[in-house]
Amino acid sequence: MAAVSGINKMYGVCLHAVRVTAGLRAARLLQHRAFRVGAVHQQQPFDSSLEKPQFPGASAEFIDNLEFIQPNVISGIPIYRVMDRQGNIINPSQDPQGRISFYMTNYGEEGTHIGSAAALDPNDIVFGQYREAGVLMYRGFPLDMFMAQCYANADDLGKGRQMPVHYGSKDLNFVTISSPLATQIPQAAGAAYAVKRENMNRAVICYFGEGAASEGDAHAGFNFSATLECPLIFFCRNNGYAISTPTNEQYRGDGIAARGPGYGMMSIRVDGNDVFAVYNATKEARRRAVAENQPFLIEAMTYRIGHHSTSDDSSAYRSVDEVNYWDKQDHPISRLRHYMTARSWWSEDDERSWRKQSRKMVMEAFEKAEKRLKPSPELLFTDVYQEMTPNLDKQRQSMWRHVQQYKEHYPLDLYDK
Amino acid sequence: MAAAARFFTRGAHSKLSLVAVGGGGGAHCSFGAALLNASPTCNSRTKTQRRHAAHFTFQPDPVPTQYGPTQKMNLFQSITSALDNTLAADPTAVIFGEDVAFGGVFRCTVGLRDKYGKDRVFNTPLCEQGIVGFGIGAAVAGATAIAEIQFADYIYPAFDQIVNEAAKYRYRSGNLFDCGNLTIRAPWGCVGHGSLYHSQSPEAFFAHCPGIKVVIPRSPVQAKGLLLSCIADQNPCIFFEPKILYRAAVEQVPMESYTIPLSQAEVLEEGSDVTLVAWGTQACADERKENNLRGVKGAKPSPHDPCAEGSGKHGPRETGGVMRGHRSTDHPALGCGYRLQVGGENWPFAHQPRGPNNRRLCF
């Protein structure tokens, strides 16, 4: 019984909160919960006269009943939302009053991009995984530059070196994407630490999926950011699948949010298809991360409506019905549209004409990017180091000699000089 | 260790050219060269040599005069001095890793936390992939990040971050982002009692990776100058510190900041018969007495092409061969990179067994 009451001390308020309507209490980022992480990480002063445990590694009470803490015996961490699936505000005090202004398609996860990006400062540094194009677009990255990266043409800021969607922008503080998963997570912790030392009201946000959260780098990043007190938001897009792997093959605990308290980190789970919930949570997390120099973990529940990539056909591992549900019944764009049309800020005519205009813009950007030259072959050899090294220079010269010798096999007119 | 030298006993008046060389592949390596003497006779193997323990005698260099006043320091103190100079001059510089706060398990960071503050010299959790990942991020955000891995034997969890991330950051972003401000330091190499996991020399794994520089000093004066160069260098660098030299190597080391170029090897002795290449502790091996080899002058090859670029009259084309001495496993070893490069560049046929003057090429 002591064990149960011990657990209740830790999770008591949580049990109570689950019984009330989700979305009302959860809005306060676990401040009033018994996840008193602030108390746990400070080591108590050693005092051998007390009957309390004196182990430096934990701040706790003794019990004399043998009982294991069962994972998942309590309900999962509740999901904060502002709108219902029809776009109606549940709790008017949570309505953020129209700071959102732009949409972009990363099919099904648009709410996570736009809601979080809108809540940040332009100076905040973004470390992404690869499914956050909406964040970059929100910050103003032009369509032409997206296309240039995807086509690896001579306009690409990345000089045509990476696969599509590995975009980056120094001006927009969006660190270039890399393919290995979760490597950005400890890097974000390091960047946040450096930014903290600069003391200029900057935060760092780090996006990743629920699959990448299984990587060792995720554990490293969470632990470092908490122990080193970094102003950092970890934003997990839990979209149900890592390619074909569903979440019940990815983890057995209560998702990613439940791991946060284990690291001593403030944590929340939000409805990722509710752009206002994402906005509110990110806004508050950012404010406190900078003010208090501690990391925040936001797990945004959503659904990956599209395939993992153009190399994937998800009908091999999930039903069309499942996909249709999310597309038709719980889509972030639809929910926001219902909210806006209910206030006469948007109409069916607006919808039709904006879709048409968007399609036109995108197709024009496609055609333009397609016609552009590819980057110069010189760029194969630069930026390996800051300086060109003799070894690379030799390889470069050797390449040109070869290409000149066999020029009929190399379409040099398609490449920039 | 002496095996490399034992190969070379042919002919009279053999003159060795001693060269410190950079690594194969894409890495920059900066090395010291060993001193070898070649005797006029080939009978060095008639006497039995008995070893009682792995040992060598460190020979300090002459006191440097061009960098200002000097102080007696061993290798770990010369590292501390370099870090002290860095923290004093660069307000963004931070040092982190396991146990660095109290001074480090090899005393390399003693006194720095008290002097510069706990936000600049701090412990991290026990996680090498985190240490390097964190370091990369701090460097990307503009800080001078100096990461310590407690032993080179434990660097492998960070291999992905080093090879897939740090080395490629600048290239893959089109030079929008880079982690040139990152330096990783780790104790390296055999120490006698370290066994499998406190003795490794993993430089070969990293030498194959373009985009990073791998540096291994041979002495306190070299260590401080090379470490300061790594920290200043705008490419991510790995600095392996021969742990057996931490206390054993003592020299007069300049107290002020100074740098030693990373992209040049160091000549210790000149000669005309063979180019001998070594780095780290191997460069300290005084094999003169043990192997009756006569010391000769050496060339100064570039890191990427040890034997052609800048060798002048001391490259293998001129001397007749290259030998490499190092303390890693021969499985295959870093020297293989040299073999191919030497083979490709200096000789028309890679399999040609003999160089000019009918001298055998030794590897």
Side-chain angles (χ1 to χ4, degrees), chain A residues 142-308:
Chain A
L143 207 48
D144 285 346
M145 289 291 105
F146 277 108
M147 292 297 176
Q149 198 282 326
C150 288
Y151 274 98
N153 67 27
D155 295 332
D156 178 23
L157 297 177
K159 299 179 186 167
R161 291 161 177 163
Q162 292 214 78
M163 288 169 66
V165 307
H166 290 65
Y167 26 73
S169 167
K170 178 109 181 128
D171 293 340
L172 301 177
N173 295 302
F174 191 102
V175 179
T176 302
I177 303 295
S178 72
S179 305
L181 293 181
T183 48
Q184 74 276 16
I185 302 178
Q187 292 173 19
Y193 190 89
V195 144
K196 173 173 84 164
R197 290 201 69 241
E198 281 175 0
N199 207 19
M200 290 177 64
N201 184 22
R202 273 176 107 188
V204 175
I205 191 165
C206 181
Y207 295 90
F208 53 96
E210 86 286 350
S214 295
E215 283 278 2
D217 272 345
H219 159 72
F222 297 160
N223 201 22
F224 274 57
S225 68
T227 53
L228 299 175
E229 298 171 356
C230 303
L232 170 56
I233 303 163
F234 290 114
F235 195 103
C236 177
R237 295 174 293 96
N238 188 332
N239 64 12
Y241 290 90
I243 309 187
S244 69
T245 305
T247 52
N248 68 353
E249 292 174 8
Q250 195 64 249
Y251 54 76
R252 282 301 152 89
D254 182 20
I256 314 309
R259 300 179 196 172
Y263 292 99
M265 202 159 35
M266 299 292 286
S267 311
I268 191 170
R269 171 172 286 152
V270 302
D271 180 345
N273 290 352
D274 178 344
V275 71
F276 298 139
V278 172
Y279 177 84
N280 284 353
T282 309
K283 191 98 183 158
E284 178 68 356
R286 194 237 175 245
R287 185 188 70 77
R288 291 188 59 189
V290 173
E292 300 164 22
N293 283 321
Q294 62 168 320
F296 281 75
L297 172 61
I298 299 174
E299 182 182 20
M301 309 307 293
T302 179
Y303 188 84
R304 195 197 76 208
I305 292 176
H307 307 299
H308 167 71

Side-chain angles (χ1 to χ4, degrees), chain B residues 65-131:
Chain B
T65 51
Q66 70 270 45
Y67 302 124
T70 64
Q71 188 181 316
K72 184 168 152 193
M73 296 184 208
N74 61 27
L75 187 78
F76 75 70
Q77 289 165 334
S78 73
I79 302 295
T80 315
S81 177
L83 298 175
D84 195 346
N85 292 150
T86 301
L87 291 169
D90 179 351
T92 73
V94 286
I95 300 172
F96 49 91
E98 293 151 22
D99 303 295
V100 300
F102 89 105
V105 293
F106 287 108
R107 329 292 300 127
C108 292
T109 50
V110 168
L112 297 178
R113 183 177 171 97
D114 287 341
K115 192 168 172 186
Y116 294 102
K118 61 184 174 63
D119 61 317
R120 300 188 69 190
V121 181
F122 51 92
N123 291 337
T124 63
L126 211 168
C127 179
E128 285 75 15
Q129 67 194 102
I131 290 168

Side-chain angles (χ1 to χ4, degrees), chain A residues 317-333:
Chain A
Y317 51 83
R318 60 183 183 178
S319 72
V320 171
D321 287 343
E322 177 186 300
V323 179
N324 274 338
Y325 167 79
W326 292 97
D327 194 18
K328 302 284 183 291
Q329 317 268 11
D330 194 346
H331 196 288
I333 298 176

Side-chain angles (χ1 to χ4, degrees), chain A residues 159 161-162 170 174-176 178 183 186-187 190-191 193 197 216-217 220 224 380 382-383 385-387 389 391, chain B residues 25-26 28 91 119-120 122 129 131 133-134 137-138 161 165 169 171-174 176-177 211-213 234-235 304:
Chain A
K159 299 179 186 167
R161 291 161 177 163
Q162 292 214 78
K170 178 109 181 128
F174 191 102
V175 179
T176 302
S178 72
T183 48
Q187 292 173 19
Y193 190 89
R197 290 201 69 241
D217 272 345
F224 274 57
L380 281 167
T382 56
D383 303 324
Y385 295 91
Q386 187 198 36
E387 67 280 4
T389 59
N391 190 27
Chain B
H28 285 257
D119 61 317
R120 300 188 69 190
F122 51 92
Q129 67 194 102
I131 290 168
F134 178 93
Q161 286 283 351
E165 296 289 314
Y169 231 92
Y171 187 82
R172 74 188 188 202
S173 69
L176 294 178
F177 299 96
I212 52 173
K213 298 191 179 184
Q234 284 303 298
N235 300 291
H304 291 295

